[in-house]
Amino acid sequence: MSLENIDGALFRKALIHSARMLEQNKKVVDSLNVYPVPDGDTGTNMSLTMEQAVAEAAKIKSDDLKRIVDAAAWGALMGARGNSGVILSQLFRGFAAGVADGKDSLNSKELAAAFKKGVEEAYKAVLKPVEGTILTVAREAAERMLLEAKKSMDIVDNLEKTIEHAKKVLDKTPEMLPILKEAGVVDAGGKGLIILMEGFLQALKNPNMVGEYKLGELIAETEQEPVSLNVENLEYIYCTELILQTETPGADLEALKSQISVLGDSLLVTGMNNVIKIHVHTNHPGDVLEKALKWGELTKVKIDNMKLQHEEFVRTSVNQSADHDDAVEVKDIEIVAVVSGEGLKEIFKSIGAGVIIEGGQSMNPSIERILAAVEEQKSPNIIILPNNKNIILTAEQVKNLTSKKVYVVPTKSIPQGISAILAYDPNYSAEENVKRMSDSLKNVITGEVTFAARDSKWNGTAIKEGDILGIMDGELVAIGSERQKVLEELVQKMATKKRSGMLTFYYGEEVTQEEAEEIASKVAERYPDFEVEIYRGGQSLYYYIVSLE
C-alpha cells in the first residue's frame, strides 16, 4: 500500500497501537537490563510514559492533528519516569514542536523533520549523551527517515526501511557499549523505541485493526496509600527528635543507643563528626533528654504527640480550611526524598525529609508525581533527593515546570540520600546546602545484595537465575548461592576502599532481624576499625543495602 499523508485521526490510532505493542512487550525490554537484577524497568517505564501520552491524546475529541500531537507530548512529559521515559518524552516534545500550527496532516518529509526535531530535544535533555543507547537508535532512525523521504513520498515504505535500519543499529549497540557486549544484550531503550515504531507502522498499514481506546486501559498507575498510624495499638505516643552536639567527635553511638533503647522503639541514632541525630518513639521524652544531656548539648528538640497528630490529620483531611493552612509555619526549604521500604521511609522522615515519595528500584515515580509533591509544599525552595540513578533525570525535569526554586542533589542510592540529609543545615541557604549535600556524596560507598532475575554472564563468569549478587557503587563485584557469603564478600570489597568508618546495614523485607544481627556481629568482629549498625529498611528486591562512610 502507499500512504502519503497522516492526518490527526490516523496519527491517534497509530499512537494507540504503538503503545499497546510496547505494553505487550515491556517484559522483553525489561529483561535487557545490563545486570540481571530484578529491577530492570526500561520497558515498564517507557510503557507507562506512553500510557499517559495516549490518555491525553484520547481526550482530544476532534481530529485536529496539532492538538493531538501537543496533548500526547504533554502526557508523555507528565507520565515520564526513568531515564528511558524522560528521553521518550523529549522525543515527543520535539516532535510536537516540529508540527506547525494549523497542520491537518503530515507528509513523509514533514514526519521525518518532526522526528528529527524530537531527537534534537532528546539529546539536549541528557547532560552527557552516551552512544549505544536509545539516543543512538533514535538519531540513526531520524537520519534514515529524512534520507528516504527525499527519495519517496510513501510514508509506509519509508518507515519500513527506517525500522530495518534502526534494527541494524540496535544490533550494533553492544559494539558501542562494552558493558552491553559483556552482558550479551542490546540497548533496552533502543529496543523499546523500535517496538513503538513497529506498532506505529502496523496501524498505518491497517487502521481498522485499532479499536477504540479506553482511558487507563494499558497500565493504571497504582496510587500509593499514605502511611497510616494504627492508634489502637500505639504503644509509645511521643515522637522525640533532637540534635546532640558532643564536645569531641567519635562518640560511642552503640553505648548511647543502648541507654536510650530501653525508653521506646523506632530508635535511630546516627551522626557525623560531633553532631548526633536522635529519633525515638517513647512515653517519657523527658527521660530521653536527660540521658542525652549527659553526652553533650541539645539543640533542635522536637516532641510530637503522634496520637493527637493522627487525630488532627484525620480531621483536617475531612475538613481542611484555608484559615488553618495559613496558620502553618512555612519553612524556607523543604526536602523531598524518593524512598521505598517502611523502615527506610521512617529513617528519612526522622532525619529531616519533609516529604516522602514512594519509589525506587522498579518503581520510578513519574514527573507528574514529583511535580505534585513539589507544588503541594508552601516552601519556596525544594531540594529533591532521587536516591536512584534512574530517577535523577526525571527529577531534573521538574525544575522547568514550577515557579518554585527546585534543586536536585544527584543521590544515586539510599546511603547517599541519608548522607546528603545529614549534611543539611537549616542555617544555610538552599544553594549552600545543595553544595554541602552534594559534596557529602563523595564520602559514601554503597553496597547492595540482590538476586539474578535471568541467566547472564559477568567477567567471563556465568550467572544463573536466582544467584545472589553483590553490587558496589553500581558495579557487580560478587556472585554466589548464599546471601550471607555474598554480603561478606561485598563488605570485603568495600573495606578495601576505606580503612575505618561507619558501616551500616539496612535489611530488606525478606530478611529477619536475627539474620541481620548475626551478620553484623561477624562483620564487626572481623573489622574492628568499623562502627557497625543495622536498621530495618523493609525494602523489596534487595536483601541488604550497605553504607560505608
Side-chain angles (χ1 to χ4, degrees):
M1 64 167 291
S2 177
L3 178 69
E4 294 190 357
N5 289 281
I6 300 177
D7 61 16
L10 182 55
F11 181 88
R12 179 163 44 208
K13 284 189 173 185
L15 188 68
I16 291 170
H17 189 63
S18 64
R20 285 172 175 160
M21 279 280 290
L22 182 58
E23 197 278 332
Q24 293 167 7
N25 292 279
K26 65 183 180 185
K27 291 185 179 179
V28 173
V29 179
D30 285 344
S31 70
L32 297 176
N33 200 19
V34 171
Y35 291 147
V37 294
D39 58 1
D41 50 11
T42 298
T44 298
N45 284 340
M46 293 181 73
S47 188
L48 285 166
T49 303
M50 283 299 299
E51 159 73 359
Q52 203 146 338
V54 171
E56 290 299 321
K59 292 178 184 178
I60 305 301
K61 301 306 180 184
S62 72
D63 292 332
D64 186 310
L65 175 65
K66 179 61 174 173
R67 289 187 63 199
I68 292 171
V69 170
D70 285 348
W74 174 252
L77 179 62
M78 290 293 98
R81 66 205 69 210
N83 295 339
S84 57
V86 172
I87 290 172
L88 181 58
S89 75
Q90 296 306 302
L91 287 171
F92 269 98
R93 178 185 176 188
F95 185 92
V99 177
D101 291 336
K103 290 292 297 182
D104 56 8
S105 66
L106 296 174
N107 60 32
S108 183
K109 290 183 179 180
E110 291 167 338
L111 180 67
F115 187 30
K116 182 67 162 57
K117 179 68 174 173
V119 172
E120 292 171 357
E121 288 299 319
Y123 265 89
K124 290 178 185 177
V126 181
L127 185 61
K128 295 181 180 179
V130 176
E131 294 306 313
T133 66
I134 181 176
L135 291 172
T136 305
V137 177
R139 189 193 68 242
E140 289 279 349
E143 291 175 355
R144 177 52 64 98
M145 193 181 297
L146 283 168
L147 179 64
E148 296 299 334
K150 292 178 181 178
K151 301 176 184 178
S152 169
M153 294 300 291
D154 185 354
I155 294 176
V156 168
D157 184 58
N158 292 346
L159 194 51
E160 285 177 339
K161 292 176 179 177
T162 296
I163 293 173
E164 182 181 351
H165 176 69
K167 288 180 177 179
K168 292 178 180 178
V169 174
L170 179 66
D171 290 339
K172 293 178 181 178
T173 54
E175 302 302 323
M176 303 178 203
L177 274 179
I179 195 169
L180 294 176
K181 188 173 184 178
E182 174 65 25
V185 297
V186 295
D187 179 67
K191 176 68 173 179
L193 179 62
I194 288 176
I195 291 173
L196 288 173
M197 294 173 70
E198 289 178 322
F200 198 89
L201 176 61
Q202 287 181 9
L204 296 186
K205 287 182 173 181
N206 185 10
N208 294 329
M209 71 183 293
V210 185
E212 286 296 317
Y213 170 79
K214 297 179 181 179
L215 290 179
E217 73 167 71
L218 300 177
I219 305 175
E221 181 179 5
T222 302
E223 291 298 324
Q224 299 297 330
E225 293 290 332
V227 178
S228 59
L229 184 64
N230 186 351
V231 295
E232 298 294 330
N233 300 318
L234 193 61
E235 183 178 359
Y236 298 104
I237 295 177
Y238 299 100
C239 176
T240 305
E241 299 177 45
L242 60 100
I243 300 293
L244 172 63
Q245 293 185 329
T246 61
E247 293 184 1
T248 57
D252 188 346
L253 297 184
E254 285 302 318
L256 178 58
K257 284 170 61 178
S258 178
Q259 291 182 15
I260 297 179
S261 63
V262 298
L263 298 175
D265 64 5
S266 299
L267 174 64
L268 176 68
V269 178
T270 186
M272 177 184 295
N273 297 324
N274 64 330
V275 178
I276 299 172
K277 172 83 175 189
I278 298 175
H279 167 279
V280 65
H281 293 173
T282 180
N283 286 330
H284 304 284
D287 291 351
V288 173
L289 302 184
E290 283 292 330
K291 288 187 179 294
L293 272 171
K294 296 178 181 179
W295 292 75
E297 295 183 358
L298 310 185
T299 63
K300 297 182 175 61
V301 176
K302 183 171 178 284
I303 301 172
D304 292 320
N305 184 315
M306 294 184 290
K307 183 176 181 180
L308 292 181
Q309 277 188 327
H310 178 71
E311 292 170 352
E312 176 68 8
F313 173 80
V314 173
R315 186 184 67 79
T316 54
S317 294
V318 174
N319 186 28
Q320 269 190 325
S321 68
D323 289 340
H324 175 76
D325 286 345
D326 291 340
V328 176
E329 180 183 356
V330 178
K331 293 193 293 184
D332 183 59
I333 303 171
E334 187 63 270
I335 297 176
V336 175
V338 182
V339 186
S340 175
E342 291 307 310
L344 290 174
K345 286 191 285 188
E346 183 175 329
I347 288 171
F348 270 83
K349 287 179 181 178
S350 71
I351 61 177
V355 181
I356 300 294
I357 298 175
E358 176 76 22
Q361 303 286 26
S362 79
M363 300 184 294
N364 298 163
S366 65
I367 289 177
E368 184 176 40
R369 176 164 287 183
I370 298 176
L371 176 62
V374 168
E375 289 294 299
E376 287 170 3
Q377 309 314 308
K378 294 185 179 297
S379 304
N381 298 289
I382 307 293
I383 297 177
I384 301 176
L385 303 179
N387 299 331
N388 186 294
K389 62 181 175 60
N390 207 32
I391 300 175
I392 295 174
L393 188 57
T394 309
E396 288 283 353
Q397 307 311 304
V398 176
K399 291 180 178 180
N400 300 321
L401 299 171
T402 177
S403 60
K404 297 180 183 294
K405 189 67 175 177
V406 174
Y407 306 84
V408 178
V409 177
T411 52
K412 296 180 180 179
S413 66
I414 289 296
Q416 285 192 350
I418 291 173
S419 179
I421 292 188
L422 291 176
Y424 174 80
D425 188 329
N427 296 314
Y428 289 97
S429 68
E431 290 81 3
E432 290 170 321
N433 266 304
V434 169
K435 184 180 186 306
R436 286 167 55 89
M437 296 167 81
S438 298
D439 288 344
S440 75
L441 308 186
K442 303 171 187 176
N443 303 318
V444 185
I445 298 173
T446 298
E448 298 164 313
V449 177
T450 184
F451 60 91
R454 60 176 171 81
D455 291 349
S456 183
K457 63 179 180 179
W458 167 72
N459 277 353
T461 302
I463 299 175
K464 297 296 183 183
E465 181 178 344
D467 280 351
I468 307 300
L469 308 178
I471 301 170
M472 181 174 72
D473 284 339
E475 296 294 327
L476 189 59
V477 297
I479 305 171
S481 58
E482 299 179 24
R483 63 189 181 209
Q484 181 170 337
K485 291 184 178 179
V486 170
L487 178 60
E488 290 174 354
E489 185 177 348
L490 171 63
V491 171
Q492 183 180 6
K493 295 288 177 63
M494 295 172 71
T496 63
K497 302 294 183 179
K498 289 179 180 286
R499 293 188 177 182
S500 62
M502 182 174 290
L503 190 63
T504 308
F505 296 89
Y506 303 95
Y507 58 93
E509 62 182 1
E510 295 186 33
V511 178
T512 64
Q513 182 177 345
E514 291 72 23
E515 176 188 322
E517 289 177 345
E518 179 183 348
I519 292 177
S521 177
K522 290 181 179 179
V523 170
E525 184 177 347
R526 183 173 181 181
Y527 302 97
D529 292 332
F530 290 129
E531 291 185 43
V532 179
E533 296 184 350
I534 62 168
Y535 295 102
R536 182 183 70 90
Q539 69 275 4
S540 62
L541 303 180
Y542 283 71
Y543 301 122
Y544 291 96
I545 296 175
V546 188
S547 171
L548 177 56
E549 289 191 76

